[in-house]
Amino acid sequence: SSGINAEWPLRPGSSTVELSFPIGPLFLNESGKHVFTCLASNQHRGVEYSKIREIEGIVGYPAQWVNGTWPVVETAKGESAVLACQFSGIPKPVVSWKRNGVSLPIVDDKGNSNHVLQKDGALLVASAANSDHTMFTCVGTNGFNSAPKDIQLIVASGVMSVAAASGLGIGIILLICFILLIMILLYRYQRRKKKVDVAVSHNGNGIDSGGLLLVYCYFQLDNSSSD
């Protein structure tokens, strides 16, 4: 590694020297830790004295939320859900979770928890409950800062998800429209049938060839007027 050589004379009456100098670009590793070696030497009455001291420092940048992580997650009651959480930063941010301000996971008396922190920082909700229908907070922390990010979990009260419930609602609307269409067609058919019965009754008790012709013409006129 390269070094910086310089000389600083002691001030009269002082036994220490304080100095600072800029550090050029460094290779950033995942931990952000770097070790700097300080070597001080002097001569006194022909004898050289030296002292070495190592200083550990952290070089990196603050934790930042990675764009693209979905801020809203939907699931059904009793089903599982995974809340993804990604942060960038050096040192690598440590991820923690909160639900309504309470740290997770919450472990019961048997050492079990419905909320499991994954290795990649995601939170697994093993069986979504009504209490999970709320805002979760993902926090990325490194040596520079703590960055929170809220993620909404929507838990459908039924056995189906919100998306499935929306699809069912659309299906019901289409079914209602189909029933209304059938009712309208039946209503128009009844009106036409009534008009035909009246036309036939005017022609006599029975339907002869002239009656059939009258009925045929009436249908043609009625269809033309309705178009």
Side-chain angles (χ1 to χ4, degrees):
S1 60
S2 60
I4 299 177
N5 297 320
E7 294 184 1
W8 289 270
L10 289 175
R11 295 191 302 268
S14 174
S15 60
T16 61
V17 175
E18 294 182 2
L19 58 96
S20 62
F21 50 87
I23 300 176
L26 297 174
F27 173 76
L28 299 179
N29 53 44
E30 188 175 90
S31 66
K33 294 181 179 180
H34 294 268
V35 178
F36 302 91
T37 301
C38 177
L39 171 62
S41 62
N42 66 351
Q43 290 185 354
H44 180 66
R45 295 181 180 180
V47 180
E48 183 173 346
Y49 300 89
S50 63
K51 186 70 174 182
I52 298 177
R53 182 179 180 182
E54 291 187 346
I55 301 174
E56 185 177 284
I58 297 179
V59 179
Y61 60 91
Q64 298 177 356
W65 173 257
V66 177
N67 294 330
T69 305
W70 195 245
V72 179
V73 178
E74 300 179 7
T75 189
K77 184 178 179 180
E79 298 295 327
S80 62
V82 177
L83 308 183
C85 181
Q86 296 182 8
F87 283 93
S88 64
I90 294 179
K92 184 178 180 180
V94 177
V95 176
S96 61
W97 285 87
K98 294 182 179 180
R99 186 187 66 181
N100 293 331
V102 179
S103 298
L104 295 175
I106 301 175
V107 182
D108 58 18
D109 297 336
K110 297 181 180 180
N112 300 321
S113 176
N114 190 43
H115 306 90
V116 181
L117 181 63
Q118 305 295 293
K119 292 182 178 181
D120 59 354
L123 182 69
L124 170 64
V125 182
S127 179
N130 291 333
S131 58
D132 293 318
H133 186 94
T134 185
M135 191 73 70
F136 288 76
T137 302
C138 173
V139 183
T141 304
N142 64 4
F144 293 94
N145 69 327
S146 293
K149 179 64 178 181
D150 293 333
I151 299 177
Q152 176 71 44
L153 178 60
I154 298 177
V155 180
S157 58
V159 295
M160 62 184 65
S161 64
V162 175
S166 301
L168 179 61
I170 295 175
I172 292 176
I173 293 175
L174 292 176
L175 178 60
I176 293 175
C177 292
F178 178 75
I179 293 174
L180 289 176
L181 178 61
I182 295 297
M183 293 178 64
I184 292 173
L185 292 177
L186 287 175
Y187 173 73
R188 295 189 62 182
Y189 172 76
Q190 291 294 334
R191 287 188 59 190
R192 290 185 179 184
K193 186 175 181 300
K194 184 176 180 181
K195 292 178 181 181
V196 171
D197 291 340
V198 172
V200 171
S201 63
H202 288 169
N203 193 46
N205 295 328
I207 302 178
D208 53 10
S209 59
L212 291 175
L213 180 60
L214 179 62
V215 172
Y216 175 78
C217 292
Y218 188 87
F219 264 112
Q220 292 297 322
L221 292 173
D222 185 68
N223 289 334
S224 299
S225 62
S226 62
D227 293 337

